Amino acid sequence: MTARTLLAATVGAVVLAGSGAAAASSPQKPPPPKPPAAGAPALAILPTVREAAEGLPGHTVYRPADLKALRKDSLPVIVYGNGACATSNLEGITFLTGLASQGYIVVANGGLDEFPVPDTPENTIAHPEALLAAAHWATESKQARKQFDGRADTTRVGVLGHSCGGVEALAAGTDPIVDAVAGFNTGYLPEPAFGGYGRDRLAGLHTPTLLVNGGPDDVAYQNSIDNYALLNVPAALVGNTAAGHVGLIAGLQATQGWQVAADWFDYVLRGDRTAGARFAGPDCGLCGESGWTIESKGLPL
């Protein structure tokens, strides 16, 4: 467990204040984690804002509020796909705000004021291109550089998603712009779905990949296990036995969920070995935490 856990008691107040501030083979030889990021924010809960992505319709930004207090090029970029591949990120507002509070620029699918529109799984289509559009906008566009005042670290990009949004993240994760992948309560189904996305695409992943499930009551529980077994990149499979399908994103365990996501990206994108020790090694932090399960392969410390 990292020191981040000690800050969990304060996150609820920060989420409220911040979000309202603005409308089966052995793994290949792993690439090392990114070298430590110069000027990375010290461990803290940073106040955040939630705002429109200027020049990128249909996306919302979660970021630290006081950019001028942070060094140039110090905030890695995370792009996020919503559960149900929805065009609304309201369900994950606590999770996304918590992640942004750790010194990340998070660009989520869905406009600032978009509400969820119910649909059925058979009619749901994944759009990984929306995540990649967000990644390129955040790292290449003049609008993003102005909006983030040059604080985005354009060399460190992660993709993240929940449920069907996790399928979007896995599919986008094959793109060269991506340096880290994380999917919560997700995985490709045994047969291609959500527009033809199938398990054969796992072979195209090229960066460390985290899969997280919510225990046996999670509809994606077995799916995450099966996908993990097929990964040939350094990877971790984490489970919270009580969270179910949405608890780590929008339920009682959401604070724990964003902590796990932040630790993963701290490890892979920032080269933080303390964060990495939560996932890797026989005495890993999550190994000893009640209610959690973990296995990993190919993760260096």
Side-chain angles (χ1 to χ4, degrees):
M1 181 183 304
T2 68
R4 178 175 289 110
T5 305
L6 300 177
L7 300 168
T10 65
V11 72
V14 173
V15 166
L16 291 174
S19 62
S25 56
S26 58
Q28 64 192 39
K29 184 177 180 181
K34 289 270 190 173
L43 182 63
I45 299 289
L46 301 175
T48 64
V49 298
R50 179 177 182 268
E51 62 189 8
E54 298 296 333
L56 186 70
H59 291 78
T60 301
V61 169
Y62 297 76
R63 63 163 176 84
D66 188 0
L67 293 173
K68 293 191 181 301
L70 303 170
R71 295 178 66 175
K72 295 279 188 179
D73 306 315
S74 66
L75 305 178
V77 173
I78 308 297
V79 295
Y80 177 78
N82 306 295
C85 292
T87 56
S88 172
N89 52 73
L90 292 176
E91 181 183 55
I93 193 168
T94 297
F95 178 90
L96 298 171
T97 301
L99 180 56
S101 79
Q102 297 304 287
Y104 287 94
I105 291 170
V106 182
V107 187
N109 283 351
L112 189 65
D113 299 320
E114 288 192 59
F115 283 82
V117 177
D119 207 343
T120 58
E122 57 268 23
N123 292 328
T124 299
I125 303 297
H127 291 284
E129 70 275 9
L131 273 68
L132 292 174
H136 286 287
W137 170 82
T139 59
E140 299 168 6
S141 74
K142 293 180 179 178
Q143 296 102 317
R145 183 157 187 85
K146 180 179 179 181
Q147 184 169 349
F148 305 142
D149 197 25
R151 267 59 181 180
D153 184 343
T154 60
T155 69
R156 302 170 197 260
V157 176
V159 291
L160 168 66
H162 171 239
S163 194
C164 182
V167 171
E168 293 178 323
L170 289 169
T174 62
D175 193 275
I177 198 173
V178 175
D179 301 300
V181 177
F184 279 63
N185 316 99
T186 194
Y188 292 117
L189 295 170
E191 297 297 326
F194 305 124
Y197 295 94
R199 292 179 176 178
D200 58 308
R201 291 175 175 265
L202 292 170
L205 291 171
H206 59 93
T207 63
T209 298
L210 170 69
L211 292 175
V212 183
N213 65 57
D217 291 335
D218 180 359
V219 67
Y221 175 69
Q222 189 60 48
N223 211 26
S224 68
I225 294 171
D226 295 344
N227 276 241
Y228 173 77
L230 295 172
L231 290 173
N232 291 320
V233 291
L237 174 66
V238 172
N240 181 293
T241 57
H245 192 60
V246 299
L248 289 164
I249 302 296
L252 296 176
Q253 298 85 9
T255 296
Q256 298 174 70
W258 68 252
Q259 290 177 45
V260 168
D263 279 330
W264 180 254
F265 290 124
D266 283 355
Y267 169 45
V268 179
L269 297 182
R270 288 179 164 145
D272 185 335
R273 293 180 179 272
T274 300
R278 202 172 186 202
F279 304 96
D283 299 317
C284 72
L286 283 170
C287 299
E289 290 192 33
S290 177
W292 291 88
T293 62
I294 182 168
E295 57 181 293
S296 65
K297 52 187 176 184
L299 294 179
L301 271 182

